[in-house]
Amino acid sequence: MTESHRSGCPINLSLEIFGDKWSLLILRDMIFGGRRHFRELLNGSQEKIASNILANRLKRLVEVGMLTKRDDPTHKQKAIYSLTEPAIELVPIMAALGAWGSKWLPVSEELSVRARLLDEGGSELWDRFMAELREEHLDSPVGSPERPGGTPPGKTVRQHLQEAYLAVVASTEAS
């Protein structure tokens, strides 16, 4: 254990990364929303993060190895954020958090449908989603030890989850 950490406890060390109000939500928006630019993250979150807090959290997530940042070749003033393998492996944890929250907290149907589908899909769906995220965010080629397999043809997990969300929104608006 280094002096920069309160203890070597894995829960403590995880909370040192994710224990603030915004870091998991930023990662959620990248994983489930496909957001990769500062403006997309700033404007796309229902929780309305302030720009200075978003900048701070993105910097911190890069520093701790959850994200990488590179220049966007299509725009000189934009950066692209990418998930790293440790961030991608949060999918089962986020699925479990979503399932727990759906069971015990007053969630809305439209915002909990993705959690329900992830819970129902279990590890097979999570593995497929993580493979898709690896293809989207990591530079290693498909089939390498870091990226076994690849994404099967058809809709991505994110597309499937988004369609379910939109269907609930449409049915709520029709009611």
Side-chain angles (χ1 to χ4, degrees):
M1 177 185 87
T2 67
E3 291 189 30
S4 63
H5 301 292
R6 292 181 296 229
S7 78
C9 169
I11 294 172
N12 168 67
L13 293 170
S14 298
L15 283 174
E16 287 183 13
I17 294 173
F18 308 118
D20 65 83
K21 194 173 179 177
W22 296 105
S23 294
L24 275 178
L25 296 179
I26 292 166
L27 292 169
R28 174 205 64 191
D29 288 349
M30 291 184 70
I31 291 169
F32 296 102
R35 298 181 184 109
R36 304 202 46 197
H37 294 94
F38 184 89
R39 285 272 169 229
E40 293 172 332
L41 291 161
L42 183 66
N43 298 325
S45 176
Q46 290 190 328
E47 292 83 12
K48 307 295 183 209
I49 188 170
S51 62
N52 62 321
I53 293 172
L54 176 59
N56 176 278
R57 294 310 186 280
L58 287 169
K59 181 180 177 193
R60 173 86 173 118
L61 289 168
V62 169
E63 287 172 355
V64 298
M66 300 303 292
L67 300 176
T68 59
K69 177 183 176 183
R70 64 181 168 86
D71 292 334
D72 185 337
T74 66
H75 194 285
K76 288 185 179 188
Q77 295 177 333
K78 282 186 174 182
I80 298 174
Y81 292 92
S82 296
L83 301 166
T84 61
E85 184 63 27
I88 290 168
E89 288 188 15
L90 288 171
V91 167
I93 294 165
M94 289 195 174
L97 277 172
W100 182 88
S102 293
K103 180 177 179 180
W104 295 105
L105 302 173
V107 299
S108 66
E109 176 59 25
E110 67 271 10
L111 295 177
S112 64
V113 66
R114 290 176 264 212
R116 183 176 44 78
L117 292 174
L118 281 169
D119 187 38
E120 291 169 359
S123 62
E124 185 177 315
L125 184 65
W126 308 338
D127 289 345
R128 180 174 164 208
F129 194 20
M130 289 188 292
E132 292 169 3
L133 291 168
R134 288 180 185 106
E135 287 185 32
E136 184 179 344
H137 289 267
L138 302 180
D139 292 332
S140 57
V142 173
S144 70
E146 305 87 46
R147 290 178 63 196
T151 305
K155 292 179 188 170
T156 66
V157 172
R158 187 184 295 133
Q159 288 169 332
H160 175 68
L161 297 174
Q162 183 65 9
E163 286 176 3
Y165 165 76
L166 293 173
V168 172
V169 169
S171 72
T172 304
E173 289 173 354
S175 301

